Amino acid sequence: MLDVSFGEDASTVRKDNAPQNLSLLKKIVLNLIRLDTADKTKTSLRLKRKRAA
């Protein structure tokens, strides 16, 4: 799911602890997007993320 929504495989962050830190942040954001119930219509996670940006 992270690759589909955030393009994690294409990430170029590879130094020190940055990949693990960003992965953790992306997982937290993905969980927050899933828990969002403000929009009553069925919307994809990708569109919810883009709307939040």
Side-chain angles (χ1 to χ4, degrees):
M1 182 54 74
L2 286 174
D3 185 42
V4 173
S5 295
F6 293 98
E8 194 167 76
D9 286 346
S11 177
T12 59
V13 179
R14 290 187 176 85
K15 189 167 178 151
D16 298 330
N17 292 328
Q20 290 130 351
N21 293 341
L22 287 177
S23 177
L24 181 64
L25 284 174
K26 289 176 184 179
K27 288 177 186 176
I28 291 170
V29 169
L30 185 62
N31 286 330
L32 287 173
I33 290 172
R34 283 184 180 157
L35 291 173
D36 178 38
T37 58
D39 189 14
K40 298 299 180 192
T41 61
K42 287 192 111 179
T43 308
S44 68
L45 295 175
R46 183 180 67 85
L47 289 177
K48 283 184 181 181
R49 183 179 67 90
K50 296 227 182 234
R51 189 177 308 140

